[in-house]
Amino acid sequence: MDSFDYIISGAGAAGCVLANRLSANPKTRVLVIEAGGSDRDIRVKVPAGILAMYGRKRFDYGYVGVPQPELNNRRIPVNRGRMLGGSSSLNSMLYIRGAAADYDEWAALGCQGWGWDDVLPLFKDLEQNQIGQDVGQDPGLHGTKGELIVARPKDPNPVCEDYIRAGESIGLPRNRDFNGKSQLGLGVYDVTQKNGIRFSAYNAYLEPVRGRPNLTIMTGTDLKRLILTDRRVTGVEVVRGGVSQTISCRGEVILSTGAIGTPMALMASGIGPGAALQGQGIAVAHDLPGVGQNLRDHVDGMITVRSDSTRTLGFSLRNAASLLAAPFRFALGRKGMLSTNYVVAGGFARTPLAENDLPDVQFHFVPGYRSHRGRLVEWGHGFAVHTCVLRPRSVGEIRPLRQGDSLTHEIDHRFFSDPRDARVLVEGIKLSRRIFAAQPMASLQGREILPGPEVQSDDEILSYLRAEALTVYHPVGTAKMGTDAMAVVDPVSMRVHGIKGLRVADASVMPTLIGGNTNAPSQMIGEKAARAILAGA
């Protein structure tokens, strides 16, 4: 039977970093198992291809949550990347770290070594910033020698500048670096792209070293369960091509399967809340009550607006020339409609409910019409904005669920279970409308389709959100690190409490949700875990 020093489950943001670092020693045998397949697809590489990937099994797990009582009992989609690179191969490529205060809060919650001063050097070591000081980026807060390329979008739609200027006209400053000293304001987002092409965690860390003879990558491989002997993980059982096999590990297994996959892998192995496991016929190997708890995500509401302006992205006869030229413009200069990641611009703001001087909402501006019917393509032009609650108080869980002979799960976000989140999002929608009503956005003469001009009062906006709010796909926290009774992972070593030979390194270890997108922080977590392992922690 084959045996490895380290088995990493999941080739996503954190797993790719870990595989790179742990396999650097040629005497160390490292195995990476990934349920998905290759990232070699034009839809992955070309920024505009993101809309064609969501919900497709080739790229996306396509999870769906349980009915949400506060959202009209709707089941909310939870898109997660299912390929090399994980969600970093599926997302909108934004590079956001979160606020310094987010990490200082982690340290205050008992996560020693996770304060801002501790993690900033890791972010800098990972980053290869190609933007520079000429657009206002502070060199003291950025790195230039890491593997992860951070750049500017190649060809931002001009309406993005209108959006930023409209924000300035109502008092929101222009922000040229959302990873600088302050997140506040509107601007163009930094992206993880290389010469206008998606640059995922796989491209940055794993692809360059996959030729190492001591590194094995198994795609199309599902982790079924961890193999435990006397509360020590000694290997994994996987399913590949419909065939089950056991792989031995003489060192450690590291779960990097994300905030959905990691708690499910633990619970399938009998590690988790004892009563919940027994209720689904799972033998309890280790009663760890925090597994699957503490689920947090950014709940989001959209405003979509019709406009006759062909300055916005869209499909129309008047825009036929641009549509026909798009493949050539992208091939020759990485410009045109195919170069967009759609949420090119956006930013952060404080509503009247904001606390501690931190922004409490984030905007993802789309310089094109977002279908009010959920279609991939909608005829015509327009623009839209997604507004999300940055630091939600609503907390959900992931539960095991037995269905016949198979074990699956239930994702229960419990969105708006804390009513304050609903109030913050209502205020965020009102603020987004103010930006759209300001010049020069107002000159586009947009006609709001959703929520619609008849939706004006706070109660009406809330009713709209209950009917339409979704998530921006930033689930975290379901195997949180810490020292309290509900902690799953030790914050120093990243080891699972009470189990030997097992660590977790992904977004599931976050004790709270950061104020921003989660791809870059997940890579930082992978780096932090790798350093702990190599230091013998």
Side-chain angles (χ1 to χ4, degrees), residues 14 17-18 21 106 111-115 117-123 126 481 491-494 503-505 509 521-535 537:
V17 177
L18 280 159
R21 305 305 191 238
W106 291 5
C111 296
Q112 177 186 345
W114 289 88
D117 290 340
D118 301 305
V119 302
L120 176 59
L122 278 69
F123 278 118
L126 293 171
M481 57 184 173
V492 176
S493 66
M494 312 300 286
R503 307 192 199 219
V504 174
V509 305
S522 295
Q523 294 182 33
M524 181 274 292
I525 289 169
E527 177 73 6
K528 183 86 164 171
R531 294 188 185 189
I533 293 168
L534 295 173

Side-chain angles (χ1 to χ4, degrees), residues 425-454:
L425 193 49
V426 167
E427 293 296 331
I429 294 292
K430 289 156 65 175
L431 183 53
S432 288
R433 277 177 159 174
R434 286 183 60 204
I435 299 171
F436 279 180
Q439 290 292 358
M441 286 299 293
S443 64
L444 295 173
Q445 298 181 332
R447 303 176 300 282
E448 185 178 288
I449 305 301
L450 289 178
E454 72 282 358

